[in-house]
Amino acid sequence: DTGVSQDPRHKITKRGQNVTFRCDPISEHNRLYWYRQTLGQGPEFLTYFQNEAQLEKSRLLSDRFSAERPKGSFSTLEIQRTEQGDSAMYLCASSTPPGRQIATNEKLFFGSGTQLSVL
Amino acid sequence: DQQVKQNSPSLSVQEGRISILNCDYTNSMFDYFLWYKKYPAEGPTFLISISSIKDKNEDGRFTVFLNKSAKHLSLHIVPSQPGDSAVYFCAAITGKLIFGQGTTLQVKP
């Protein structure tokens, strides 16, 4: 399978615990995105990387959230001191735009997501 | 502020008929729009796109129409099939993809 892979598919945790998700993009893609989706809403942008550089972070990404892409391949998203409001589907996507700026015809390829439930 | 809006949470159509999904946007600077389809327990998958220099783009059973003056786009599926039942998101590109809330389409056999 050469698509975007996310692990785990499901995560149940207690409030206050830390969680970490992993995303493996399509191998030749140099751009990687994290989105969050709650019930009844569309995916909301969190952050994205161009290779190992984190180029943009949404204000949705509080200081409890940190994302890394150390070698420009896989990425991790960590949530510290989880809150019930963090319960959502966390989606990773990758793409390979021709240049630094997002091309107007850029298409993102999404993984199946990690469903987080904070009790 | 919801810059991309899909005001119909759900739509039900009969197999073989046309499905029309609507989307409105607020920012006239948006110049590229995409539609994604999402099945349960899967990530969204790209369906069709349109540039603001066009008013129509067609791909098989799927056609997207863009009305820039009204800041409105629509996705037409003809003929609709049960396998089209999914959540459809419209999205605009502005440095990143901004998604609407989604419309759940149910195609009844």
Side-chain angles (χ1 to χ4, degrees):
Chain A
D1 185 274
T2 57
V4 177
S5 177
Q6 291 189 247
D7 183 70
R9 292 293 303 273
H10 305 274
K11 179 69 176 180
I12 301 174
T13 190
K14 293 182 179 179
R15 188 176 54 188
Q17 298 294 306
N18 300 342
V19 295
T20 300
F21 311 140
R22 177 179 170 123
C23 172
D24 288 272
I26 294 172
S27 59
E28 63 268 26
H29 285 183
N30 54 21
R31 188 163 284 179
L32 185 147
Y33 299 81
W34 285 99
Y35 279 79
R36 179 175 70 186
Q37 185 182 9
T38 54
L39 200 62
Q41 299 296 316
E44 297 174 295
F45 170 79
L46 293 179
T47 188
Y48 86 92
F49 294 83
Q50 175 84 15
N51 299 313
E52 66 275 10
Q54 189 172 17
L55 297 186
E56 186 175 348
K57 292 167 59 174
S58 164
R59 61 187 174 193
L60 293 175
L61 215 64
S62 75
D63 56 5
R64 296 185 298 106
F65 288 71
S66 62
E68 295 182 346
R69 196 183 182 197
K71 297 181 180 179
S73 56
F74 74 91
S75 175
T76 58
L77 177 68
E78 180 183 17
I79 309 175
Q80 296 181 329
R81 304 181 304 281
T82 53
E83 301 172 356
Q84 288 183 327
D86 297 331
S87 296
M89 171 75 78
Y90 289 83
L91 293 162
C92 177
S94 69
S95 69
T96 182
R100 177 179 175 85
Q101 298 300 319
I102 290 182
T104 55
N105 60 349
E106 181 178 3
K107 300 177 186 65
L108 272 60
F109 295 83
F110 283 86
S112 297
T114 294
Q115 181 66 53
L116 173 66
S117 298
V118 181
L119 304 179
Chain B
D1 59 336
Q2 191 74 32
Q3 297 188 69
V4 179
K5 301 178 184 180
Q6 294 175 258
N7 293 317
S8 298
S10 62
L11 174 67
S12 181
V13 301
Q14 207 67 33
E15 181 179 7
R17 307 295 289 268
I18 185 171
S19 296
I20 300 177
L21 296 98
N22 293 304
C23 179
D24 297 293
Y25 60 96
T26 58
N27 191 335
S28 58
M29 299 301 292
F30 290 161
D31 59 4
Y32 207 84
F33 303 90
L34 303 90
W35 284 92
Y36 278 78
K37 179 168 74 172
K38 184 181 185 301
Y39 292 117
E42 295 183 12
T45 55
F46 170 77
L47 189 58
I48 192 170
S49 62
I50 188 167
S51 165
S52 61
I53 62 173
K54 296 184 176 181
D55 55 17
K56 176 182 175 181
N57 188 28
E58 190 172 354
D59 183 3
R61 297 185 296 113
F62 303 90
T63 303
V64 56
F65 295 91
L66 176 62
N67 182 335
K68 283 193 299 181
S69 61
K71 296 191 184 69
H72 177 84
L73 64 157
S74 61
L75 174 67
H76 293 211
I77 307 174
V78 182
S80 302
Q81 299 173 354
D84 296 329
S85 298
V87 180
Y88 289 79
F89 294 101
C90 71
I93 287 186
T94 172
K96 55 188 171 289
L97 277 182
I98 297 179
F99 288 88
Q101 306 96 311
T103 297
T104 301
L105 172 65
Q106 182 183 24
V107 180
K108 297 179 179 178

